[in-house]
Amino acid sequence: GFPIDGLPSHDPIYVSYERMEEMYEEGIAEFVPHSHTHAYFDSISDEQIHYELKTSQEIIKKLGWNYKDFVYPGGRNNENIRRITSQYYESAVKVGTVGAGIPFDQYAIPRITLTSTGFNPQTINNAIDDALDELGFAILMSHVDLDAGLNPDDMRQVIEHVINNTDAEFVTMRELIQEHGNVMQQGD
């Protein structure tokens, strides 16, 4: 289970904390805040949004993981949600791979979601190529559910595609923001 009081012990549908720690240490996954209860922010009060953002940030910080960037549950966001999120985080990721816009909005960064029903590697490869052409980067995102349909062989195909067919490199979200983030939105 998680080494923080109040968090669930290992539920077999999720990757264990121990496995998450191994994946983090091996550099094959980065874990970022995604809210505390996975509530969709467009259906809760501002006060609840503050609670979700602050609580998830505190937990991830205690675990020693990236607590500066956020992933909206369901990708759902609007101007008010982005404004509140900016009080806690340096960036946030939405659903969708295109239309980031100029100037770049660091609180509406597009992502490619690896769905809970599995994915077709060629479809993901095409989405990566489109994002690289339009934005110069691609963010892949999934949940830590064991039943999320993530097949290691499919992931290997995606990784091999990026390595063999693009000039892209694999970096963490934190590294991406530090390298390419909008300085006007980053603050110090």
Side-chain angles (χ1 to χ4, degrees), residues 41-60:
F41 287 7
D42 59 352
S43 63
I44 61 175
S45 71
D46 287 1
E47 181 180 332
Q48 290 170 302
I49 294 171
H50 282 280
Y51 170 79
E52 292 286 332
L53 292 167
K54 182 179 181 196
T55 304
S56 62
Q57 185 178 56
E58 289 171 351
I59 290 168
I60 294 293

Side-chain angles (χ1 to χ4, degrees), residues 14-142:
Y14 296 105
V15 174
S16 70
Y17 168 74
E18 291 75 19
R19 181 64 184 130
M20 290 171 72
E21 189 68 16
E22 288 173 17
M23 293 166 65
Y24 175 77
E25 293 297 325
E26 292 172 16
I28 61 173
E30 178 183 31
F31 301 99
V32 298
H34 188 50
S35 79
H36 185 54
T37 66
H38 206 269
Y40 291 138
F41 287 7
D42 59 352
S43 63
I44 61 175
S45 71
D46 287 1
E47 181 180 332
Q48 290 170 302
I49 294 171
H50 282 280
Y51 170 79
E52 292 286 332
L53 292 167
K54 182 179 181 196
T55 304
S56 62
Q57 185 178 56
E58 289 171 351
I59 290 168
I60 294 293
K61 186 174 184 177
K62 284 180 185 178
L63 293 172
W65 296 338
N66 177 356
Y67 61 90
K68 296 182 178 185
D69 307 302
F70 185 76
V71 177
Y72 298 112
R76 297 180 183 183
N77 71 95
N78 58 39
E79 187 175 331
N80 181 56
I81 292 168
R82 291 189 298 274
R83 180 186 57 74
I84 295 170
T85 301
S86 73
Q87 296 172 34
Y88 297 90
Y89 296 95
E90 293 179 12
S91 72
V93 180
K94 66 177 187 148
V95 170
T97 57
V98 295
I102 304 293
F104 185 78
D105 186 344
Q106 206 156 297
Y107 294 93
I109 301 172
R111 74 182 189 219
I112 300 168
T113 302
L114 305 177
T115 66
S116 61
T117 57
F119 64 88
N120 176 304
Q122 188 56 52
T123 301
I124 296 300
N125 292 343
N126 292 342
I128 289 170
D129 292 343
D130 291 346
L132 290 173
D133 287 344
E134 183 176 340
L135 304 169
F137 68 88
I139 295 175
L140 299 180
M141 179 260 158
S142 181

Side-chain angles (χ1 to χ4, degrees), residues 163-183:
I163 291 170
N164 297 324
N165 299 302
T166 75
D167 293 328
E169 62 180 296
F170 289 93
V171 299
T172 64
M173 188 168 162
R174 182 85 305 255
E175 291 167 331
L176 175 71
I177 296 304
Q178 289 173 329
E179 179 70 24
H180 301 287
N182 183 335
V183 175

